[in-house]
Amino acid sequence: MVANIAFFESNNLEETYNHLYEKYIKDNTCKAFSDIDMNKFSNEFESNKKVPLFSVFPELTFATKDSITTTIQEIYAKNDYTLLTFFSPTCQHCIDKMPEIKKFMDNLNEKFPTKNTQWVTILNDREENNWIEFIEKNQLDKSAINLKSLDPNRTYQHSLNAYSNPTYFLLDKEGKVVLKSFNNKAILEIINK
């Protein structure tokens, strides 16, 4: 069943994932899952409820490192697809993943020059000191729009269930959430439609 959950998650078969979670996993009656597994599964379920696939991404305002404000809506309206990546520069998984995403997005833009795809990274942490260094070290300023929250309480995290790092949302031109993972194959299939 766990293999099925991973399949459903990676293919964004959200309703099926939710059904499996509610009926077979949520109570963990057989104690088949570790606390780490349960945390992951319940977090994904919460994300599915708060920001369902094909729902329009909420209007949120962020700022660049130079404190220029912009909305996510302004960004996705100018692009065919926008990949949002919420991350922390101190998260080891993010440290490992961001160069891979950068390479993929750079290749994507070269391979599909007629598709406007934009990568947006969003600091998902209170601490900004490491953020600028991380952006420069990984050359994200050349590949992505890099944003931070204007709200010290980061209330967007609650509305998106974007507490874990990294968290992904692929949006289309209308702001519909078409994918909630970084899955190279799925992104290519969506863009090739």
Side-chain angles (χ1 to χ4, degrees):
M1 186 172 4
V2 176
N4 289 341
I5 284 287
F7 172 80
F8 295 137
E9 180 182 15
S10 68
N11 288 282
N12 282 301
L13 298 173
E14 205 165 74
E15 289 181 29
T16 307
Y17 182 100
N18 292 347
H19 173 77
L20 280 174
Y21 177 81
E22 288 179 314
K23 297 290 183 191
Y24 303 105
I25 295 174
K26 181 177 162 183
D27 297 328
N28 198 17
T29 51
C30 295
K31 305 296 180 214
F33 306 111
S34 69
D35 290 343
I36 292 170
D37 289 336
M38 290 304 297
N39 187 38
K40 179 185 181 302
F41 298 150
S42 63
N43 186 51
E44 182 67 26
F45 178 74
E46 271 305 304
S47 294
N48 291 349
K49 292 296 185 186
K50 289 187 176 190
V51 187
L53 274 177
F54 309 114
S55 65
V56 175
F57 196 78
E59 290 187 35
L60 298 171
T61 302
F62 293 95
T64 66
K65 64 182 179 180
D66 302 319
S67 299
I68 298 168
T69 60
T70 187
T71 66
I72 299 301
Q73 187 177 21
E74 290 172 309
I75 297 169
Y76 70 65
K78 295 176 187 173
N79 297 287
D80 295 317
Y81 295 97
T82 302
L83 177 64
L84 304 178
T85 305
F86 292 83
F87 81 103
S88 170
T90 59
C91 155
Q92 187 59 51
H93 187 61
C94 299
I95 291 168
D96 297 339
K97 200 73 176 166
M98 295 301 269
E100 177 187 337
I101 299 168
K102 179 189 181 311
K103 182 178 179 182
F104 174 78
M105 292 303 291
D106 288 347
N107 288 339
L108 188 68
N109 287 323
E110 285 179 28
K111 194 173 186 175
F112 300 100
T114 61
K115 296 280 186 174
N116 291 330
T117 56
Q118 180 63 60
W119 184 26
V120 178
T121 72
I122 300 168
L123 176 65
N124 203 24
D125 199 340
R126 289 186 197 276
E127 183 58 49
E128 290 184 28
N129 294 338
N130 295 331
W131 179 54
I132 303 295
E133 181 183 324
F134 187 88
I135 289 170
E136 291 170 356
K137 178 183 174 191
N138 290 284
Q139 300 178 348
L140 300 183
D141 49 342
K142 295 174 176 50
S143 297
I145 296 172
N146 301 285
L147 303 174
K148 62 183 179 179
S149 180
L150 295 167
D151 174 9
N153 296 322
R154 296 187 324 276
T155 54
Y156 71 85
Q157 288 181 323
H158 177 72
S159 61
L160 302 173
N161 197 46
Y163 296 104
S164 62
N165 293 307
T167 298
Y168 307 101
F169 297 95
L170 182 65
L171 312 177
D172 68 10
K173 192 172 195 67
E174 287 79 39
K176 289 182 186 163
V177 178
V178 294
L179 190 68
K180 293 193 289 185
S181 62
F182 178 71
N183 179 320
N184 301 16
K185 183 179 176 185
I187 292 171
L188 288 172
E189 286 176 8
I190 290 167
I191 289 175
N192 275 326
K193 285 183 183 178

